Amino acid sequence: MPPPPALLVCFLLLLLAVPWPADAAEATAATRPLLFALRARQVPAGALPRPASKLRFHHNVSLTVSLAVGTPPQNVTMVLDTGSELSWLLCPPGGGGGGKGAPSFRPRASRTFASVPCSSAQCRSRDLPSPPACDGASHQCRVSLSYADGSSSDGALATEVFTVGQGAPPLRAAFGCMSTAFDTSPDAVATAGLLGMNRGALSFVSQASTRRFSYCISDRDDAGVLLLGHSDLPPFLPLNYTPLYQPSLPLPYFDRVAYSVQLLGIRVGGKPLPIPASVLAPDHTGAGQTMVDSGTQFTFLLGDAYNALKAEYLRQTKPFLPVLNDPNFAFQEAFDTCFRVPQGHAPPARLPAVTLLFNGAEMTVAGDRLLYKVPGEHRGGDGVWCLTFGNADMVPITAYVIGHHHQMNVWVEYDLERGRVGLAPIRCDVASERLGLML
């Protein structure tokens, strides 16, 4: 397998707050949802390091939000991640300014910054993959995050005032003030940290008491939308809901703070795959859960389900799509259902769609979301295109993961109040325009 390209194309969906009317009542402003527009950007590989509990693939559509943090406020850009809990900001050593290309938060410049002591309940959280620990010398609570490339980030657990959008009251929330800096490209959109949005006690969702949020990731620039807070969605968004899944007893390999749903089946070109229900459900250890994750690019299936999908997809595309036939090639070490397409051409339009069936809802992957052109890879006059479903056993991970690439042009709502995830296929540019007129 050839080494990965130096610059992997990623997309950052920048959130630009739509201001409310200046004369809106304070009570209305406090409860009205926040609407954001999204814009695509490029970031280099390694600019957004992933925790070890996340997949190590750097191709990444990430929702990023610009926040005001501290007093006086410092503007920072943070990646919005539904698969992570602890929010963190890069804090330079000594609390001064960060170096070139390393945006950061300056805790010593804020009057409202406070370290979390070892005696705090927040320092005893067990939701994180690596629980916080007490530094005996400073009596401060320390946190460590491990990354897929073998590096790690270490810092102190702290609290600070966060402000999101106009009219919203400031929120004091716990976060990691991390001392480790990461290389970024001067041409990239730099980020200062990550905003954890899963269901853990230390996530931004939990600390802000946000009970509902939703988004639509577009395949076009400036056409996506993020909605934070409760809102009765209009009739043009007929959501189908699937309940969040939670086993009755704690299981060692089940992530209880992830957005987990029940995967019941898979269809290829309308044909159901012969996958036993037991293969799609978590086992007695909790391994095999299905997670909806905005921080992972593609979708990953455990080995037995992936092999069934691969066999049927190759069978249905055999008459019109040449197979790569290279047993030594697997894009990003997990995507080995690959094809040859003449350079300068797109794959055939009649590709069979893949539908994921959930309890009460479904998600259909079709068109240009099915195959991905591998950068820099070619065979003679042909480019290499791979199916955007990966084999989780090759990574390896022990879960099904529904990535953001397959959430494009789908309205996705996280309803924590009723314990469910809503899905509705829609063009995101249409949803963004119509919601902007309504709110």
Side-chain angles (χ1 to χ4, degrees):
M1 178 178 175
L7 181 67
L8 297 180
V9 177
C10 316
F11 295 96
L12 286 181
L13 303 182
L14 298 184
L15 309 182
L16 305 175
V18 176
W20 298 327
D23 57 351
E26 183 176 349
T28 302
T31 58
R32 194 169 185 177
L34 293 173
L35 178 66
F36 298 89
L38 309 181
R39 185 169 68 241
R41 293 289 186 90
Q42 290 186 349
V43 296
L48 299 177
R50 313 301 300 166
S53 59
K54 302 284 294 173
L55 297 178
R56 58 196 176 99
F57 306 105
H58 296 290
H59 278 58
N60 203 358
V61 170
S62 299
L63 303 175
T64 72
V65 60
S66 295
L67 304 178
V69 182
T71 309
Q74 301 176 40
N75 294 323
V76 297
T77 300
M78 303 176 72
V79 174
L80 190 77
D81 189 354
T82 62
S84 294
E85 177 176 355
L86 182 66
S87 301
W88 54 264
L89 288 167
L90 293 176
C91 299
K100 182 179 179 181
S104 58
F105 172 70
R106 303 179 305 281
R108 290 189 178 181
S110 172
R111 297 191 302 271
T112 48
F113 176 85
S115 298
V116 170
C118 297
S119 58
S120 170
Q122 294 166 325
C123 196
R124 296 190 294 271
S125 173
R126 291 296 177 264
D127 284 347
L128 301 177
S130 298
C134 182
D135 183 337
S138 65
H139 301 289
Q140 291 183 352
C141 187
R142 306 290 297 181
V143 289
S144 295
L145 299 176
S146 298
Y147 299 95
D149 60 1
S151 64
S152 63
S153 180
D154 181 78
L157 194 63
T159 66
E160 185 54 281
V161 172
F162 290 74
T163 303
V164 183
Q166 297 184 10
L171 168 72
R172 176 167 285 279
F175 72 105
C177 193
M178 314 306 282
S179 57
T180 305
F182 297 91
D183 292 336
T184 60
S185 166
D187 298 326
V189 176
T191 59
L194 179 143
L195 197 66
M197 295 291 284
N198 73 10
R199 298 187 291 161
L202 291 180
S203 76
F204 192 79
V205 168
S206 297
Q207 295 188 77
S209 299
T210 299
R211 306 305 296 162
R212 185 180 298 182
F213 65 96
S214 52
Y215 55 71
C216 192
I217 302 174
S218 178
D219 56 357
R220 298 170 47 195
D221 292 357
D222 301 312
V225 64
L226 169 74
L227 192 64
L228 293 178
H230 180 84
S231 176
D232 292 326
L233 295 176
F236 71 83
L237 282 174
L239 291 168
N240 291 314
Y241 289 96
T242 183
L244 292 170
Y245 175 74
Q246 195 81 285
S248 56
L249 296 175
L251 300 175
Y253 294 107
F254 190 93
D255 185 350
R256 297 180 65 87
V257 296
Y259 295 103
S260 295
V261 296
Q262 290 178 285
L263 180 61
L264 302 181
I266 304 174
R267 292 197 302 259
V268 177
K271 179 182 178 180
L273 297 182
I275 304 174
S278 59
V279 171
L280 300 176
D283 63 19
H284 66 284
T285 70
Q289 71 187 104
T290 299
M291 300 182 287
V292 183
D293 184 5
S294 70
T296 298
Q297 184 181 18
F298 298 124
T299 293
F300 293 84
L301 308 176
L302 292 180
D304 289 345
Y306 175 80
N307 290 332
L309 170 65
K310 178 179 180 178
E312 182 60 27
Y313 209 84
L314 291 176
R315 187 190 71 81
Q316 292 191 25
T317 57
K318 184 177 181 180
F320 59 88
L321 193 60
V323 180
L324 179 62
N325 280 329
D326 184 350
N328 297 317
F329 179 80
F331 174 56
Q332 296 283 15
E333 302 181 15
F335 302 88
D336 64 352
T337 305
C338 301
F339 306 90
R340 297 175 64 146
V341 177
Q343 291 280 17
H345 292 76
R350 60 183 188 275
L351 292 173
V354 177
T355 300
L356 305 176
L357 306 174
F358 307 107
N359 180 11
E362 61 183 49
M363 178 182 291
T364 296
V365 180
D368 57 8
R369 290 182 293 154
L370 284 164
L371 299 184
Y372 180 81
K373 188 178 189 302
V374 180
E377 197 71 35
H378 56 85
R379 299 292 187 276
D382 296 335
V384 176
W385 295 68
C386 295
L387 187 66
T388 52
F389 290 82
N391 188 341
D393 291 3
M394 296 172 66
V395 177
I397 57 172
T398 57
Y400 296 87
V401 181
I402 312 301
H404 60 68
H405 184 76
H406 293 163
Q407 299 175 42
M408 285 185 179
N409 286 321
V410 177
W411 189 273
V412 183
E413 179 185 83
Y414 298 85
D415 185 352
L416 282 71
E417 198 169 45
R418 299 182 181 179
R420 60 186 187 173
V421 174
L423 303 172
I426 188 172
R427 278 178 45 191
C428 291
D429 55 338
V430 173
S432 178
E433 180 180 355
R434 298 180 69 174
L435 281 171
L437 294 174
M438 295 180 61
L439 296 178

